[in-house]
Amino acid sequence: DDGDSSLNTLTEEDIQKLISSSKEAMKYAYCEYSNFRVGAALLAEDGSIFTGCNIENVSYSLTTCAERTAIFKAVSEGHRKFKAIAISSEVKDSFTYPCGACRQVMIEFGQYDVYVSRPDSAWQHTTTQELIPHFFSKKALRSVQKAKIQN
Amino acid sequence: DDGDSSLNTLTEEDIQKLISSSKEAMKYAYCEYSNFRVGAALLAEDGSIFTGCNIENVSYSLTTCAERTAIFKAVSEGHRKFKAIAISSEVKDSFTYPCGACRQVMIEFGQYDVYVSRPDSAWQHTTTQELIPHFFSKKALRSVQKAKIQN
Amino acid sequence: DDGDSSLNTLTEEDIQKLISSSKEAMKYAYCEYSNFRVGAALLAEDGSIFTGCNIENVSYSLTTCAERTAIFKAVSEGHRKFKAIAISSEVKDSFTYPCGACRQVMIEFGQYDVYVSRPDSAWQHTTTQELIPHFFSKKALRSVQKAKIQN
Amino acid sequence: DDGDSSLNTLTEEDIQKLISSSKEAMKYAYCEYSNFRVGAALLAEDGSIFTGCNIENVSYSLTTCAERTAIFKAVSEGHRKFKAIAISSEVKDSFTYPCGACRQVMIEFGQYDVYVSRPDSAWQHTTTQELIPHFFSKKALRSVQKAKIQN
Ligand SMILES: [Zn+2]
Ligand SMILES: [Zn+2]
Ligand SMILES: [Zn+2]
Ligand SMILES: [Zn+2]
């Protein structure tokens, strides 16, 4: 499932450690509306780990997911380069992949490993790029903006 | 690029018509902050077409994209089954694929054709599923919710 | 409740007509996750009415509300000046006011009347400005952006 | 400006400390698209402070604000009761109040003090409730959901 763009650079031990952090993060999930807990753990380039959980809102649309919470925490502490993110949920018979909103936020900070897990600690590997093929890039946005300023 | 899940059921004439509608829709883009116009045209199962443009907001985060505008219009008029969506933008040297938020909203209504275009009317084909591999399904969410109600 | 900034320029007949449109719009609500229906009807300056309903998403955060659906529809058809918006829901013993996300999208297009209703057709009046006091303006954003370009 | 619901329970010294934290948080703002920095500092009931900055995204709509970043960080570390939040930006001649999305996320965790500041450290006081009058409550949502389950 990895395609040829895959990195998968972590050791099994590091993967298990990251998944374990993502599982622990589930305990703080604020999921009053879905009753569904998700956790994430983000490994920054310097080795530090930032965890996140889903945080819901009565308006539904202002909910954030575990993955975005972890990324926002890391970026707000000065980190913008990441090695991997692990994701856990309560779904038993399948692996919980991120929603489209999180995929877009993940790819904003480049290509890195994604480990999606099950409660029994089984995991699958993918990458931020595989999750959002042909993603819209800053370069494309800026090409239009520059062309307009020049005219 | 299509993979084996691709539909690509439209005739070249219908594709050009849909792309043309998506280009026209760009004229109403409210893009005060990005200065970047995007248009979309959504073909419902009954043959009706719903167009959309990007509509931005001073808070950035409350911006909507052309694709979501088109889908929201169609759903609010009673449509939930779609054949295809076409997307246009001002980017000249690449095809404008949807952002992750739009991919997630697109797949909520199932598998259908996606045609991304360039200003010179060249296009590429993909599908809603190809754009968000391993998407998180209602089934997974409900499996957890049901298990909790039973306990 | 209106404060001194209130407009309330519609006749009772027009208010009832707008509320009635917002109630009808509830029938197309796609509310698989909340089981909660909301409708909105937006009166544009030229007298045309655009309706909207809530459209939810398995990811929760990609849900849109009835009010935003109505506004996005109108803007995507070339309207940017509005007289009033009416909102209906299934809540019986209180009036359903818009969420913060919708308030921000509503004020992007200026000051106009807001009529929130109950299933028994009772209504309360407010305005887009009253709903988001001290809203963050384009002017403030641009003052910073201009200062940076000049340096 | 405070109305009668205002708390304003912090000492001038604590307010200045919180504003100062929110200013420092601006340094990590990821604002590639707006070129506009915002910082926030959230005081939890136990005295700990969580800071946040705006983190933008090429898709605009997946941007998060400083206020939400701070709240998400705190909640993901187990905090759900707050005393106050301070907000700073680069706008010189007015106070930067939160966007509607942030107001909705702020009120999800109840009534507390909000201090909006200017670069010269002048500040204004308001509260989470004043910023979103007649906010939509969980109670209203649940009244509808319960009525449907009973039928
Ligand atoms: Zn997500
Ligand atoms: Zn999009
Ligand atoms: Zn809303
Ligand atoms: Zn905000």
Side-chain angles (χ1 to χ4, degrees):
Chain A
D1 195 74
D2 314 55
D4 35 50
S5 65
S6 57
L7 317 159
N8 201 2
T9 56
L10 267 59
T11 64
E12 176 70 26
E13 198 190 332
D14 284 344
I15 295 168
Q16 286 302 339
K17 192 182 153 197
L18 203 60
I19 290 173
S20 173
S21 294
S22 74
K23 281 187 184 177
E24 265 184 66
M26 288 169 60
K27 75 165 171 262
Y28 293 130
Y30 175 79
C31 51
E32 310 253 319
Y33 309 102
S34 72
N35 206 14
F36 182 71
R37 291 177 183 274
V38 187
L42 178 69
L43 179 62
E45 218 180 43
D46 72 346
S48 50
I49 290 177
F50 294 87
T51 58
C53 57
N54 53 324
I55 301 171
E56 300 183 349
N57 188 280
V58 68
S59 85
Y60 281 48
S61 71
L62 293 166
T63 293
T64 191
C65 301
E67 300 92 314
R68 277 179 283 167
T69 300
I71 292 172
F72 295 157
K73 281 168 81 170
V75 174
S76 76
E77 303 290 335
H79 299 264
R80 294 186 184 179
K81 293 197 174 167
F82 307 116
K83 279 182 168 165
I85 189 166
I87 305 164
S88 293
S89 89
E90 299 170 292
V91 179
K92 280 184 183 155
D93 49 5
S94 63
F95 296 89
T96 299
Y97 281 77
C99 81
C102 289
R103 293 176 193 213
Q104 182 72 45
V105 171
M106 284 157 66
I107 197 69
E108 184 79 23
F109 300 99
Q111 164 79 325
Y112 44 95
D113 286 315
V114 180
Y115 297 94
V116 293
S117 74
R118 274 195 323 221
D120 63 4
S121 288
W123 54 267
Q124 286 186 346
H125 172 261
T126 182
T127 70
T128 53
Q129 274 193 26
E130 281 177 348
L131 288 175
I132 190 160
H134 302 285
F135 68 94
F136 182 73
S137 71
K138 291 183 215 187
K139 214 181 291 181
L141 175 63
R142 281 176 180 159
S143 71
V144 172
Q145 291 174 330
K146 272 182 195 164
K148 287 188 177 179
I149 288 165
Q150 285 166 351
N151 291 336
Chain B
D1 195 72
D2 314 55
D4 35 51
S5 66
S6 55
L7 316 160
N8 202 3
T9 57
L10 267 59
T11 63
E12 176 68 27
E13 198 190 331
D14 285 343
I15 295 168
Q16 286 302 339
K17 192 183 152 196
L18 203 61
I19 288 172
S20 174
S21 293
S22 75
K23 281 188 184 176
E24 266 183 67
M26 288 170 60
K27 75 166 170 261
Y28 293 131
Y30 175 79
C31 52
E32 310 254 318
Y33 308 102
S34 72
N35 206 13
F36 181 72
R37 291 177 182 273
V38 187
L42 178 68
L43 179 63
E45 217 180 42
D46 72 347
S48 49
I49 289 176
F50 295 86
T51 57
C53 57
N54 53 325
I55 301 170
E56 300 183 349
N57 187 280
V58 68
S59 83
Y60 281 48
S61 71
L62 293 166
T63 293
T64 191
C65 301
E67 300 92 313
R68 277 179 283 168
T69 300
I71 291 172
F72 295 157
K73 282 169 82 170
V75 174
S76 77
E77 302 289 335
H79 299 264
R80 294 186 184 178
K81 292 196 175 169
F82 307 115
K83 278 182 169 167
I85 189 166
I87 305 164
S88 293
S89 89
E90 299 170 292
V91 179
K92 280 185 184 154
D93 49 4
S94 64
F95 296 88
T96 300
Y97 281 77
C99 80
C102 290
R103 293 176 194 213
Q104 182 71 45
V105 170
M106 285 158 66
I107 198 69
E108 184 78 26
F109 300 98
Q111 163 79 324
Y112 44 96
D113 286 315
V114 179
Y115 298 94
V116 293
S117 74
R118 272 194 325 219
D120 64 4
S121 289
W123 53 269
Q124 285 186 346
H125 171 262
T126 183
T127 70
T128 53
Q129 274 193 26
E130 281 178 347
L131 288 174
I132 189 159
H134 302 284
F135 68 94
F136 181 72
S137 71
K138 293 182 214 188
K139 214 181 291 182
L141 175 62
R142 281 178 180 157
S143 71
V144 172
Q145 291 174 330
K146 274 182 195 163
K148 287 190 178 178
I149 287 166
Q150 285 166 350
N151 292 335
Chain C
D1 193 74
D2 315 57
D4 36 51
S5 66
S6 55
L7 317 159
N8 201 3
T9 57
L10 267 58
T11 63
E12 176 69 26
E13 200 190 328
D14 284 345
I15 295 168
Q16 285 303 339
K17 192 183 152 195
L18 203 60
I19 290 173
S20 174
S21 293
S22 74
K23 281 188 184 176
E24 265 183 68
M26 288 169 60
K27 76 166 170 262
Y28 293 130
Y30 175 78
C31 50
E32 310 253 319
Y33 309 102
S34 71
N35 206 14
F36 181 72
R37 290 177 183 274
V38 187
L42 178 69
L43 179 61
E45 217 180 44
D46 71 347
S48 49
I49 289 176
F50 295 86
T51 57
C53 56
N54 54 323
I55 301 169
E56 301 183 350
N57 187 280
V58 69
S59 84
Y60 280 48
S61 72
L62 293 167
T63 292
T64 191
C65 300
E67 301 92 314
R68 276 180 282 168
T69 301
I71 292 172
F72 295 156
K73 281 169 82 171
V75 174
S76 76
E77 302 289 334
H79 300 264
R80 293 184 185 182
K81 292 195 174 170
F82 307 115
K83 279 182 167 167
I85 189 166
I87 305 163
S88 293
S89 89
E90 299 169 293
V91 178
K92 280 184 182 155
D93 49 4
S94 64
F95 296 89
T96 300
Y97 281 77
C99 81
C102 289
R103 293 177 193 211
Q104 183 71 46
V105 171
M106 284 157 68
I107 198 68
E108 183 79 24
F109 299 98
Q111 163 78 326
Y112 45 96
D113 287 314
V114 180
Y115 298 95
V116 293
S117 74
R118 273 196 322 223
D120 63 4
S121 287
W123 54 268
Q124 284 186 346
H125 172 262
T126 183
T127 69
T128 53
Q129 274 193 25
E130 281 178 349
L131 288 175
I132 190 160
H134 302 285
F135 68 94
F136 181 73
S137 71
K138 292 182 215 187
K139 215 181 292 183
L141 175 63
R142 283 179 179 156
S143 71
V144 172
Q145 291 174 329
K146 273 181 195 166
K148 288 190 177 177
I149 288 166
Q150 284 165 352
N151 291 337
Chain D
D1 194 74
D2 315 56
D4 35 53
S5 66
S6 55
L7 317 159
N8 201 4
T9 56
L10 267 58
T11 64
E12 177 69 25
E13 198 190 330
D14 284 344
I15 295 168
Q16 285 303 340
K17 191 183 152 196
L18 203 60
I19 289 172
S20 174
S21 293
S22 74
K23 280 188 185 177
E24 264 183 69
M26 288 169 60
K27 75 165 170 262
Y28 293 131
Y30 175 79
C31 52
E32 310 253 319
Y33 308 101
S34 71
N35 206 13
F36 182 71
R37 291 177 182 274
V38 187
L42 177 69
L43 179 62
E45 219 180 41
D46 72 346
S48 50
I49 289 176
F50 295 86
T51 58
C53 57
N54 54 324
I55 301 169
E56 300 183 349
N57 187 280
V58 69
S59 84
Y60 281 48
S61 71
L62 294 166
T63 293
T64 191
C65 301
E67 301 92 315
R68 278 180 282 168
T69 301
I71 292 173
F72 295 157
K73 282 168 81 171
V75 174
S76 76
E77 302 290 334
H79 299 264
R80 293 185 186 180
K81 292 194 174 169
F82 307 115
K83 280 182 168 167
I85 188 166
I87 305 163
S88 294
S89 89
E90 298 169 294
V91 178
K92 280 184 183 155
D93 49 5
S94 64
F95 296 89
T96 299
Y97 281 77
C99 82
C102 289
R103 293 176 194 213
Q104 183 72 45
V105 170
M106 284 158 67
I107 198 69
E108 184 78 25
F109 300 99
Q111 163 78 325
Y112 44 96
D113 286 315
V114 179
Y115 297 94
V116 292
S117 75
R118 274 196 321 223
D120 64 3
S121 289
W123 55 268
Q124 285 186 346
H125 172 260
T126 183
T127 70
T128 53
Q129 274 193 24
E130 281 177 349
L131 287 175
I132 190 160
H134 303 284
F135 67 94
F136 181 73
S137 70
K138 292 182 214 186
K139 213 181 292 182
L141 175 63
R142 282 177 180 159
S143 72
V144 172
Q145 291 173 330
K146 273 182 194 164
K148 288 190 176 176
I149 288 165
Q150 284 165 352
N151 291 335

